[in-house]
Amino acid sequence: MRDEIMMLFEKNKSMNVKELQKQLGITNTRDFKEMCVCLNELEDERKLYNNHVKYILIDNKNFVAGKARDVSPMEYAVFNRDNKVYVPKSDSRILLDSDEVLVKISRKGNEVVHIYERGIKYVVGTFVSTRRGLKFRSDVDLHTSFDVINEKDFALSNNMKAVVKVVEYTAPLKVKIEKLLGKEDEPGVDVTGILCENEVRQEFGKKVQKELDDIPTKVKKKELKDRYDLRALKTVTIDGDSTKDFDDAISVEKLTNGGWRLYVHIADVSHYVKEDEAIDEEAFKRGTSIYVADRVVPMLPFQLSNGICSLNPDVDRLTLTCRMDFNKDGIMTDYDIFDSVIHSDERCTYSKVNEYLDNPGSHPGYDKVGDMLRDFSDLAAALKKQTKDRGHIDFETKEAYFVLDEKGKPVDVVVKERGWAEQMIEEAMIAANVAVAHELHTKKLPGMYRVHETPDPEKIEALINMARSMNVKCDLDPNNCRPLDVAKFLDAIEDENAKEILSSVAIRSMQKARYSEENLGHYGLALEEYCHFTSPIRRYPDLLIHRMLKRHVIDRQNDEKTLKKDEKRMKKSALHLSEKERDAVMLEREVNDLKSAQYMENKVGQKFEGIISGVTSFGFFVELDNTIEGLIPLRTMKDDYYIYDADTMSLRGENTGRTFKMGEHVNVVLSDVNVPKRQVTFELAQPKREYPVKVEEELPVVEGEFKEKALA
């Protein structure tokens, strides 16, 4: 019926319900209900618009459905992937950044005819003393004033940070105080503000706390029934220095045939977090733990994540174990998955394992597990070779770690190292995830897969053009581009700067990894079957996989009713959990952008050397060695008039012929830092002779584009 409805609207453009009912020949209640459901779906998909008189086809000629941005005192911009239009502020509707709206295009003037969803529901700001008393000012200028309707309910003072909720989208914006965060210079208040603004769930309710009271702090003897007892097996965890929640441990045995037996033990979170109870419902709503500069917002309460579920050393812990056999070449020959109990012998860290493998005398405390660590290293080397041979794409990316002082201010930015121990654990976890995905897929059992689909040929073409503009040989075929082809291309790049830049471009050319109830393969890892099984403390999809394994593989509850129920649950959960993951990534980047701006705030006027990491029509981005990135706006480049070439993503001076393109080293001066907007702005350190300048870019759009790139 959906197709029939759309065909009718393609011919008629607009119809009311009665006209549509007549055209479809609907004469019974069942078909009428189906028609109404279809109309609602088409509205949600932005294909039809209901003006409460009739339904109207949303076509590209007469409408633009997209996000609004406040670009100037006179107008809003509304844009989507294909189009951008401007709407005058004389329109009675009050819009804010990121509102999702529908604009009707007309010669008389563009008009917002529908608001699908408000982009800003909570605002973080500060109460400031003025001659007229305390006034609320938002951290990011929303080009509006505020009417706070419940000021008298709170003890407010100057520089008090608060989160307010929008009650009415009027001028001034009518809001009510939701939460006072403390004085704006208090440690952690800035990050708490971002979390609140993004509606992050930071506290666990009374129902969760009540359930926690019934969860034991130690493993009980009765819980060991029907579990493989692996407590005598030499076992270690290997994590970062500051890690407190250990959800994976490993054991390795050398086999007589020259191969290895690898045990990947994963915390049995599903034993304690029961389906559809309060802790489980809260964990599902959160979807994932969020790691920001000064804290962790956990998916599970700390009593679980750092307590009974964490595979701490010298205590018994309940686990799900994936036992895998590999031959001497690192090829998996057999596997098994079962309930178990372990007793970790040592809490190892990446840094110490790296040092110990290079120099066994560096950490005598590791001697009792030293042979196993060396066997594990040998196995990881064999697995790494298999990984490379199949075409896993190893993107060269940097991850920043902010060193904060007691006030929460960044005093240093360090690039995280990815040593051999990190890669050892990575290979072990990938192997376990592959084995579990294979088990569920081949037996046609309900599951949730981590999928990464084939990239768009147009984006691969853009990668090819970028490589050629940097004088890097690239023979990729956009229409038949295998993971192995991309991996070999990146491996062959000798210039480290070019490799880093092209890795970044390659990442942007890829599809976004997501969760799906269907097994669609993982392009980036060059795997036909893949899921997330190894981190149930911090990722809800892993917890779901544990439940599927227990129910359908271990307990074999495979009646038709149970299978269908779980298949439906997987499908429903996949979209939500993909969205929660994207939200977490975006939020972590927002906090990083804030800390980057804070770190650079007192360095205005200082010179730096960086690499051009992005080029646009309004300027180019420069990344410093510490990963901090800033924009050089085109308006500041007064030595020439620069023309943007989209094919090569470069800027070329019309008079001087000077070019700026990705991967080039440039010397810059920090010219401005806007902490509330989390923006860093550079200027070229040595501008050349000035020529008359044509400035065509719109500065407010620059700000929007800057934000878009930061979230890309």
Side-chain angles (χ1 to χ4, degrees):
M1 187 177 284
R2 281 170 53 97
D3 292 341
E4 289 183 56
I5 290 172
M6 287 305 296
M7 286 175 66
L8 288 172
F9 275 101
E10 291 289 347
K11 293 178 181 178
N12 301 309
K13 303 301 180 187
S14 67
M15 283 180 284
N16 61 33
V17 172
K18 287 185 177 179
E19 291 170 339
L20 189 58
Q21 183 181 353
K22 183 178 179 181
Q23 290 280 350
L24 292 170
I26 291 175
T27 57
N28 59 66
T29 304
R30 181 176 60 82
D31 288 345
F32 184 80
K33 285 182 178 179
E34 185 184 353
M35 180 190 75
C36 292
V37 169
C38 290
L39 288 171
N40 288 334
E41 288 177 351
L42 291 167
E43 267 195 278
D44 291 340
E45 294 168 15
R46 318 298 194 247
K47 292 180 178 177
L48 295 180
Y49 158 57
N50 180 8
N51 68 0
H52 304 295
V53 176
K54 56 188 176 181
Y55 286 89
I56 302 167
L57 178 70
I58 297 175
D59 57 25
N60 293 331
K61 183 179 178 181
N62 297 299
F63 292 95
V64 172
K67 288 194 173 182
R69 178 158 291 130
D70 192 347
V71 295
S72 78
M74 296 163 289
E75 58 189 1
Y76 302 107
V78 176
F79 63 94
N80 56 33
R81 185 180 295 178
D82 305 313
N83 207 346
K84 178 162 72 173
V85 295
Y86 294 90
V87 181
K89 285 190 175 178
S90 55
D91 187 345
S92 60
R93 294 177 185 268
I94 303 298
L95 300 185
L96 297 174
D97 276 353
S98 298
D99 285 352
E100 199 167 341
V101 303
L102 180 67
V103 176
K104 190 177 188 306
I105 302 169
S106 114
R107 290 182 179 178
K108 295 180 180 179
N110 299 330
E111 178 189 5
V112 175
V113 293
H114 185 67
I115 298 176
Y116 292 108
E117 188 176 358
R118 290 291 185 174
I120 295 176
K121 297 170 186 173
Y122 293 88
V123 179
V124 175
T126 307
F127 282 93
V128 180
S129 292
T130 69
R131 291 180 180 178
R132 297 182 180 181
L134 286 170
K135 295 293 181 183
F136 180 79
R137 292 177 180 169
S138 58
D139 285 353
V140 177
D141 188 5
L142 298 178
H143 304 289
T144 185
S145 55
F146 297 86
D147 176 14
V148 184
I149 63 175
N150 62 340
E151 275 188 39
K152 295 180 181 178
D153 298 339
F154 294 86
L156 301 175
S157 58
N158 188 39
N159 293 330
M160 179 63 73
K161 202 89 165 176
V163 181
V164 300
K165 183 178 182 180
V166 181
V167 178
E168 289 183 30
Y169 293 86
T170 54
L173 207 61
K174 190 171 286 187
V175 299
K176 68 175 183 178
I177 299 170
E178 283 282 298
K179 186 178 183 179
L180 296 181
L181 304 178
K183 293 288 186 178
E184 66 175 340
D185 58 351
E186 288 180 15
V189 166
D190 52 358
V191 175
T192 301
I194 293 177
L195 297 174
C196 292
E197 201 169 29
N198 287 276
E199 301 178 57
V200 173
R201 306 173 73 89
Q202 299 175 67
E203 298 171 359
F204 292 97
K206 291 181 180 178
K207 288 183 178 180
V208 170
Q209 296 298 335
K210 187 177 180 181
E211 285 184 10
L212 287 173
D213 293 338
D214 297 329
I215 293 177
T217 56
K218 295 181 180 179
V219 173
K220 297 179 180 179
K221 188 175 180 179
K222 64 180 181 180
E223 294 175 300
L224 305 184
K225 185 182 178 183
D226 298 327
R227 287 181 179 269
Y228 281 84
D229 190 342
L230 302 179
R231 287 177 289 184
L233 184 67
K234 199 164 285 185
T235 302
V236 299
T237 59
I238 307 177
D239 292 275
D241 292 339
S242 60
T243 303
K244 295 178 181 177
D245 52 343
F246 311 119
D247 45 15
D248 60 86
I250 62 100
S251 306
V252 180
E253 296 174 328
K254 187 72 176 173
L255 300 179
T256 55
N257 64 0
W260 300 267
R261 176 164 289 168
L262 169 66
Y263 300 79
V264 173
H265 315 285
I266 306 299
D268 190 356
V269 175
S270 62
H271 179 80
Y272 299 102
V273 179
K274 302 301 182 185
E275 205 163 6
D276 297 327
E277 291 189 356
I279 296 174
D280 182 51
E281 289 178 355
E282 181 65 26
F284 178 74
K285 289 174 182 176
R286 297 183 179 216
T288 181
S289 295
I290 301 173
Y291 296 83
V292 291
D294 67 344
R295 73 193 73 176
V296 176
V297 183
M299 183 182 81
L300 297 173
F302 287 121
Q303 294 97 312
L304 289 171
S305 62
N306 293 10
I308 190 63
C309 290
S310 183
L311 306 185
N312 300 325
D314 303 320
V315 291
D316 293 348
R317 286 293 183 257
L318 304 183
T319 50
L320 252 67
T321 293
C322 181
R323 181 180 63 203
M324 296 159 281
D325 287 350
F326 298 88
N327 65 20
K328 59 183 177 59
D329 295 318
I331 297 172
M332 191 185 302
T333 57
D334 194 16
Y335 70 87
D336 196 7
I337 303 161
F338 48 83
D339 288 320
S340 57
V341 55
I342 68 165
H343 189 97
S344 176
D345 296 283
E346 188 71 35
R347 182 269 200 260
C348 299
T349 66
Y350 293 130
S351 57
K352 289 181 179 179
V353 169
N354 285 325
E355 291 169 1
Y356 184 80
L357 291 174
D358 288 338
N359 177 17
S362 58
H363 298 286
Y366 283 14
D367 286 345
K368 62 183 178 181
V369 294
D371 289 341
M372 190 185 76
L373 290 175
R374 283 184 282 274
D375 286 338
F376 184 23
S377 179
D378 293 341
L379 167 60
L383 294 176
K384 190 77 175 176
K385 184 179 184 305
Q386 291 296 327
T387 295
K388 185 175 182 179
D389 288 347
R390 74 170 182 265
H392 165 236
I393 306 171
D394 192 5
F395 295 111
E396 295 283 334
T397 56
K398 292 180 181 178
E399 186 178 354
Y401 172 74
F402 292 90
V403 181
L404 307 180
D405 63 16
E406 66 280 357
K407 294 182 179 180
K409 299 299 181 184
V411 294
D412 197 7
V413 187
V414 181
V415 178
K416 288 184 181 179
E417 295 292 332
R418 182 169 167 259
W420 177 237
E422 288 90 335
Q423 295 177 60
M424 287 162 57
I425 287 295
E426 184 180 286
E427 291 295 337
M429 298 306 117
I430 288 174
N433 288 335
V434 169
V436 168
H438 181 73
E439 180 73 9
L440 295 172
H441 182 231
T442 55
K443 293 185 177 178
K444 298 182 179 179
L445 299 172
M448 181 174 292
Y449 299 91
R450 182 65 170 174
V451 302
H452 187 221
E453 293 158 276
T454 304
D456 186 333
E458 288 186 9
K459 292 191 175 181
I460 295 296
E461 189 71 53
L463 173 62
I464 295 168
N465 291 335
M466 176 57 59
R468 289 173 181 168
S469 74
M470 297 174 68
N471 298 317
V472 174
K473 184 180 178 182
C474 184
D475 296 323
L476 296 175
D477 181 353
N479 298 308
N480 184 27
C481 186
R482 302 172 302 162
L484 183 61
D485 299 331
V486 179
K488 286 183 175 179
F489 160 65
L490 294 175
D491 284 344
I493 302 172
E494 295 180 0
D495 184 289
E496 287 300 317
N497 293 328
K499 187 172 186 176
E500 187 179 322
I501 294 297
L502 289 171
S503 289
S504 176
V505 175
I507 288 174
R508 291 200 289 267
S509 72
M510 298 289 128
Q511 303 266 26
K512 299 292 184 186
R514 60 185 176 89
Y515 294 106
S516 173
E517 76 283 2
E518 295 182 75
N519 177 45
L520 304 174
H522 197 293
Y523 183 87
L525 294 175
L527 290 167
E528 294 180 2
E529 300 163 320
Y530 195 65
C531 71
H532 277 167
F533 157 74
T534 55
S535 296
I537 287 176
R538 63 183 181 90
R539 289 190 306 225
Y540 197 87
D542 303 54
L543 178 54
L544 283 177
I545 287 291
H546 280 225
R547 288 184 179 143
M548 296 304 100
L549 290 171
K550 284 194 163 201
R551 188 174 298 150
H552 301 294
V553 176
I554 297 172
D555 296 337
R556 299 187 180 181
Q557 298 177 27
N558 293 325
D559 57 281
E560 188 177 350
K561 183 179 179 182
T562 304
L563 288 169
K564 284 188 175 180
K565 182 181 177 182
D566 282 337
E567 285 169 358
K568 188 176 181 181
R569 184 185 288 266
M570 294 303 105
K571 185 175 182 178
K572 182 180 178 182
S573 300
L575 181 61
H576 166 74
L577 295 172
S578 296
E579 288 175 351
K580 296 309 294 182
E581 180 196 35
R582 286 195 294 271
D583 291 346
V585 169
M586 183 187 75
L587 193 136
E588 288 164 11
R589 286 174 177 166
E590 282 191 38
V591 173
N592 280 359
D593 288 344
L594 172 69
K595 293 303 171 185
S596 294
Q598 289 176 347
Y599 178 71
M600 300 295 283
E601 189 174 17
N602 61 357
K603 296 175 175 56
V604 172
Q606 293 185 22
K607 292 184 178 181
F608 300 91
E609 183 182 344
I611 297 173
I612 298 177
S613 57
V615 183
T616 71
S617 60
F618 54 82
F620 57 87
F621 292 88
V622 175
E623 184 180 287
L624 308 184
D625 286 342
N626 59 11
T627 76
I628 289 177
E629 192 175 53
L631 173 71
I632 295 187
L634 201 61
R635 68 179 186 274
T636 66
M637 298 166 62
K638 298 179 180 179
D639 63 313
D640 204 343
Y641 175 68
Y642 286 90
I643 301 168
Y644 175 62
D645 185 334
D647 290 334
T648 60
M649 288 180 66
S650 63
L651 289 167
R652 184 176 183 277
E654 191 175 64
N655 299 307
T656 63
R658 188 183 185 187
T659 61
F660 295 95
K661 58 186 179 181
M662 298 266 282
E664 286 187 2
H665 284 266
V666 287
N667 293 313
V668 297
V669 175
L670 181 63
S671 60
D672 184 54
V673 176
N674 188 323
V675 174
K677 289 187 177 181
R678 304 153 203 159
Q679 292 179 0
V680 174
T681 306
F682 293 122
E683 288 184 6
L684 287 171
Q686 297 175 333
K688 296 194 173 182
R689 177 186 169 191
E690 292 192 5
Y691 289 86
V693 181
K694 304 174 189 175
V695 179
E696 295 182 355
E697 76 274 19
E698 301 168 31
L699 301 188
V701 177
V702 169
E703 294 176 358
E705 294 281 357
F706 188 102
K707 186 175 180 182
E708 284 174 25
K709 184 177 188 303
L711 299 178

